[in-house]
Amino acid sequence: MAHDTLYAQPQEPQGPAPGRGGGRLAAVLRRWDTTVVLGLIAVVVGAALLVDGFATGRNAEFLLLDAVAIGLVALPMTLIVVTGEIDLSVASTLGLCSAVMGQLWLSGWPLELIVPAAVALGAVLGAVNGLFVTGFGLPSLAVTIGTLAAYRGLAFVVLGDQAVADFPGEWTDAAVGTVPGGALPWAMVGTALLAVVFGILLHATPPGRELYAIGSNAEAARFSGIAVARRKFWLFVASGAVSGLAGVYWTLRYASARADNGEGLELAVVAAVLLGGVSIFGGRGTLAGVCAGVLLLGTLRNALQLADVPSDTLDIVTGSLLIASVVVPNAVVLLRARLGRPRSGSAPPPRPGNAP
């Protein structure tokens, strides 16, 4: 396999020649992330018209604050899933880092030291996942299900059932502070800047193209000279570190360090990543689509909460979106392949796992 071909992100047939404006527009409209953006716009407009209290600056602020933790953790998760792996321990890492924050605060540590310590702890927990996956060759699904339970259990060992809630007001106020004159939280500004960094890394650098190559065919990537194990290991470290950062934000936002903080967050993160168009099989997806998926999921849940929909129903909606984000793109690719079945000797249709 040629080196340039290996690095190229798999693409669907784009229809008319790219030189024609109509062909480019049709190609954009066929992209899954475009569908997600249009879905986001439809949900926002529908909620503004139908749900009392949705179209207010105060609610927009709460919506974005809720989306920060999911958005943060979804950034490294996107890169991990692009390589064909997954990290289900992110919420437990968040909870353990939050519990350690509380215990260190009770021990008299200043927050100036606690915050970097929590992020460093997250990186260590991610490195443990990476070691088992890349060093021992174990499947990431099994490893991170195991550490999901282990890290959550350790959080209760560290802090028990108690909640630590006497953090300084200037820190907790900063976690929920907004840009002057608007409803945009500073935490979301920071998340957006971090998203730009991850987006440049994934889409505009050779290491990012290598991640797509790994997800498309790890063996071919390895034979081409890509350090597959090393790339995956550092992705898990990044996932742990960002989950630790999300634990700091969660703790300060709610002014409470608890062992059960972030419980169940991994479902929303994975749903947002897949809803944004990242293939669960690896090798395909964009960070812009994931950001739209985070906002779509957060907006939908916010609107349903304002409509007094029970929390159990919200979990059903999240799970349904998770299933739909896997089934629908693959069904579309299979349908297109069936309708435009290639003649003998032509290239085979794309595999469902590469659906946008």
Side-chain angles (χ1 to χ4, degrees):
M1 180 179 295
H3 199 66
D4 291 342
T5 303
L6 177 66
Y7 274 11
Q9 182 181 354
Q11 299 291 335
E12 270 194 277
Q14 298 298 320
R20 300 176 182 176
R24 288 197 297 269
L25 178 60
V28 170
L29 292 176
R30 283 202 301 267
R31 292 175 60 92
W32 178 257
D33 44 9
T34 302
T35 303
V36 177
V37 172
L38 294 176
L40 173 61
I41 295 172
V43 170
V44 169
V45 172
L49 294 175
L50 300 175
V51 180
D52 291 336
F54 179 84
T56 64
R58 189 62 173 165
N59 182 62
E61 179 185 338
F62 280 123
L63 190 160
L64 293 175
L65 285 172
D66 287 341
V68 167
I70 297 174
L72 279 174
V73 180
L75 297 178
M77 181 73 82
T78 298
L79 275 61
I80 288 176
V81 177
V82 162
T83 65
E85 304 290 352
I86 197 166
D87 184 359
L88 296 179
S89 69
V90 288
S92 297
T93 299
L94 183 158
L96 179 52
C97 291
S98 177
V100 169
M101 273 190 74
Q103 192 57 252
L104 292 178
W105 178 251
L106 291 177
S107 300
W109 283 41
L111 281 174
E112 290 82 1
L113 294 179
I114 292 175
V115 170
V119 175
L121 172 62
V124 171
L125 299 176
V128 172
N129 287 335
L131 177 62
F132 279 111
V133 173
T134 64
F136 297 101
L138 300 176
S140 58
L141 178 64
V143 168
T144 57
I145 286 177
T147 53
L148 177 154
Y151 293 166
R152 185 66 69 179
L154 284 173
F156 280 98
V157 169
V158 169
L159 200 59
D161 293 328
Q162 67 177 317
V164 179
D166 59 339
F167 295 103
E170 59 269 22
W171 285 79
T172 56
D173 290 343
V176 298
T178 58
V179 175
L184 178 64
W186 283 112
M188 179 54 75
V189 174
T191 302
L193 292 176
L194 192 60
V196 171
V197 173
F198 273 86
I200 293 173
L201 172 64
L202 181 62
H203 298 295
T205 66
R209 292 193 293 273
E210 289 176 359
L211 299 184
Y212 285 110
I214 292 169
S216 297
N217 191 324
E219 278 302 309
R222 189 175 292 107
F223 283 126
S224 74
I226 297 174
V228 174
R230 186 189 310 163
R231 294 285 186 272
K232 289 184 178 182
F233 174 81
W234 286 110
L235 289 182
F236 280 103
V237 173
S239 179
V242 175
S243 296
L245 180 62
V248 171
Y249 165 76
W250 192 290
T251 301
L252 296 177
R253 186 207 166 179
Y254 295 105
S256 178
R258 294 177 55 92
D260 60 353
N261 276 351
E263 201 163 37
L265 187 74
E266 66 278 342
L267 175 62
V269 171
V270 174
V273 170
L274 298 185
L275 184 62
V278 180
S279 171
I280 191 65
F281 300 101
R284 193 168 185 84
T286 67
L287 203 66
V290 171
C291 292
V294 169
L295 293 176
L296 174 56
L297 182 62
T299 302
L300 186 58
R301 290 178 64 92
N302 176 266
L304 292 176
Q305 286 173 336
L306 288 177
D308 293 325
V309 172
S311 59
D312 291 342
T313 303
L314 294 179
D315 292 336
I316 293 173
V317 170
T318 303
S320 299
L321 286 174
L322 178 58
I323 295 173
S325 63
V326 176
V327 172
V328 174
N330 291 314
V332 169
V333 171
L334 291 175
L335 180 61
R336 288 176 184 170
R338 189 178 294 269
L339 292 177
R341 190 179 299 278
R343 294 187 298 272
S344 177
S346 62
R351 63 188 178 96
N354 283 339

